[in-house]
Amino acid sequence: MTSTAAVPPPRATYRRLSVEERRAQLLLAALGLFAHRAPDEVSLDEVAVAAGVSRPLVYRYFPGGRQQLYEAALGSAADELTLCFTEPPVGPPTERVARVLDRYLRFVDEHDTGFSALLRGGSVVETSRTTTIVDGVRRAAADEILRHLGRMGEERPAGPRLRMMVRSWIAAVEAASLIWLDDGKRPAASELRGWLVDHLIALLTATAATDPETAAVVNDLLALETSDGPAGQLAERVIPIVAEAAHLLPAAAASD
């Protein structure tokens, strides 16, 4: 009887990560921590543990320490958040905006504490660079919404009133998101999204009353909307309410 030496099991293949892959790994670990805790509460030791690496390795990639890591993670999150506002120009504009808001609110839901800390400011890691990153997201979001309104680019740039209106709406979306988080994510995200779309339509309508450019935009948009879409449903709800104000019109007053 011949004895056969036991064959050792094959060793797991080890692959050294490239610089880009290692950096991405560290950023992903940091974002996971920043998503649910304020940035100034997260230590580099915790990032190292989450990434399964040593603290010196974290410093090798981010010699500036937590501040540099936070700014890099914030930039990565900003890129992801900006992508939420990118939507193909297909279908009624209000339905496109609804899809944008669905992605945006999903991001807010998944990064709740970090999102609050980011927008509220006051963190010890907040700097002019982090503020610039956040403002860049706001401007990119406004540009995307203006694109859906047909006013973007050199050929059809948005005028000051329309641009101010859109940026005001972006600010309102931010504020509503923070209140939503404070209130335990109530109402449901879908209900909040519907209200924010209605808010945009209302702002457009009010601005169109005194701004010819916005009036032209609204006319173009209404031609693309449907009766069962957000604009049609809002019109069905609002027109009866507005009818109750008929006595406020000058012609009505003159006939009395």
Side-chain angles (χ1 to χ4, degrees):
M1 181 175 181
T2 57
S3 61
T4 304
V7 178
R11 298 178 63 183
T13 303
Y14 175 79
R15 184 175 71 86
R16 183 183 296 275
L17 297 181
S18 68
V19 172
E20 293 76 15
E21 289 171 329
R22 181 66 75 187
R23 178 180 171 84
Q25 177 198 29
L26 295 174
L27 286 178
L28 184 63
L31 282 170
L33 294 170
F34 291 145
H36 302 295
R37 291 168 59 191
D40 48 331
E41 296 176 359
V42 176
S43 70
L44 286 185
D45 285 333
E46 291 174 295
V47 174
V49 170
V53 301
S54 65
R55 178 187 174 95
L57 183 64
V58 178
Y59 266 109
R60 184 187 308 170
Y61 281 83
F62 299 98
R66 183 175 62 182
Q67 180 64 44
Q68 184 183 6
L69 177 60
Y70 173 65
E71 290 176 8
L74 178 58
S76 178
D79 291 341
E80 182 182 347
L81 187 54
T82 300
L83 286 176
C84 292
F85 287 88
T86 303
E87 177 71 22
V90 178
T94 57
E95 293 181 18
R96 295 181 225 158
V97 173
R99 290 192 291 271
V100 163
L101 287 170
D102 279 338
R103 289 193 296 271
Y104 174 84
L105 291 174
R106 192 176 306 121
F107 180 95
V108 173
D109 183 29
E110 294 172 355
H111 300 78
D112 43 20
T113 304
F115 181 86
S116 295
L118 167 66
L119 293 185
R120 292 186 196 280
S123 168
V124 297
V125 292
E126 182 183 17
T127 66
S128 60
R129 289 189 295 274
T130 60
T131 301
T132 298
I133 292 172
V134 175
D135 285 343
V137 174
R138 292 172 177 142
R139 292 179 182 276
D143 286 346
E144 287 298 325
I145 296 301
L146 285 168
R147 186 171 288 109
H148 292 304
L149 298 180
R151 286 296 189 275
M152 194 61 202
E154 296 181 358
E155 295 184 1
R156 303 187 76 186
R161 290 284 303 280
L162 180 59
R163 179 169 287 278
M164 180 182 291
M165 187 227 79
V166 169
R167 293 192 65 182
S168 297
W169 180 74
I170 295 294
V173 170
E174 276 188 19
S177 300
L178 292 172
I179 294 170
W180 184 63
L181 292 177
D182 283 346
D183 288 348
K185 299 178 182 177
R186 295 188 302 268
S190 59
E191 185 177 341
L192 176 58
R193 176 254 293 151
W195 180 76
L196 290 172
V197 174
D198 289 349
H199 189 187
L200 177 61
I201 297 172
L203 282 174
L204 279 166
T205 303
T207 308
T210 55
D211 181 48
E213 180 199 8
T214 306
V217 167
V218 170
N219 286 334
D220 291 343
L221 294 182
L222 289 176
L224 301 173
E225 295 293 328
T226 61
S227 60
D228 60 346
Q233 293 176 13
L234 181 62
E236 183 179 5
R237 297 193 303 268
V238 168
I239 288 175
I241 298 174
V242 174
E244 297 296 324
H247 65 285
L248 300 177
L249 298 176
S255 62
D256 288 342

